[in-house]
């Protein structure tokens, strides 16, 4: 029976370390401190926690990923714009002789 208890404790400790490593404990602590220091407590503490949990600046890795995605999309847009212009020129070349042939008939 005691080995099951130790396993449970080690799993709990492992989970606690995971939460700490990922910043979950710190984030929750900060939000709870804000709630504690709130002069007028909200009617729904859970809604307060939810709203404050979603606030804050985005992670720098997310911002960097979005910047890279924007740059890739701009490059792709530029290439497609150039391709479109080239295709329009080719189309114009084919349309012009056809129009001339119709006028001659």
């Amino acid at each position: 029976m005691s080995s099951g208890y130790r396993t449970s404790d080690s799993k709990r400790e492992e989970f606690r370390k995971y939460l700490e490593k990922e910043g979950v404990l710190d984030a929750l602590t900060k939000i709870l401190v804000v709630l504690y220091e709130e002069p007028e407590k909200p009617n729904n503490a859970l809604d307060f926690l939810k709203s404050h949990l979603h606030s804050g600046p985005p992670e720098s890795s997310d911002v960097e990923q979005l910047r890279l995605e924007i740059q890739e999309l701009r490059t792709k847009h530029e290439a497609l714009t150039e391709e479109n212009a080239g295709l329009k020129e080719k189309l114009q070349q084919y349309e012009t002789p056809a129009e001339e042939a119709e006028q001659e008939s």
Side-chain angles (χ1 to χ4, degrees):
M1 179 112 174
S2 64
S3 67
Y5 180 73
R6 282 187 223 134
T7 304
S8 178
D9 278 350
S10 67
K11 284 184 179 180
R12 236 184 247 134
E13 181 63 21
E14 188 177 314
F15 185 66
R16 186 196 64 74
K17 286 180 181 179
Y18 164 74
L19 292 176
E20 188 173 334
K21 178 183 162 212
E22 295 298 318
V24 174
L25 294 178
D26 188 43
L28 287 174
T29 301
K30 287 178 181 178
I31 294 168
L32 290 171
V33 167
V34 170
L35 177 61
Y36 176 78
E37 293 174 346
E38 192 71 27
E40 292 185 31
K41 304 296 182 232
N43 292 333
N44 190 331
L46 188 56
D47 284 344
F48 179 88
L49 293 175
K50 287 178 183 177
S51 69
H52 281 75
L53 189 58
H54 293 294
S55 65
E59 294 293 319
S60 60
S61 61
D62 292 340
V63 171
E64 186 58 33
Q65 183 180 2
L66 290 172
R67 283 187 181 137
L68 289 172
E69 186 176 348
I70 287 171
Q71 185 58 42
E72 289 173 9
L73 290 172
R74 284 182 178 155
T75 303
K76 187 174 184 178
H77 177 264
E78 186 177 311
L80 290 172
T81 301
E82 289 175 12
E83 181 183 1
N84 187 20
L87 291 172
K88 283 181 179 179
E89 283 181 32
K90 282 184 180 180
L91 182 61
Q92 189 66 34
Q93 290 173 357
Y94 290 113
E95 287 179 343
T96 303
E99 290 173 359
E100 291 174 0
E102 283 180 14
Q103 290 176 358
E104 290 176 3
S105 322

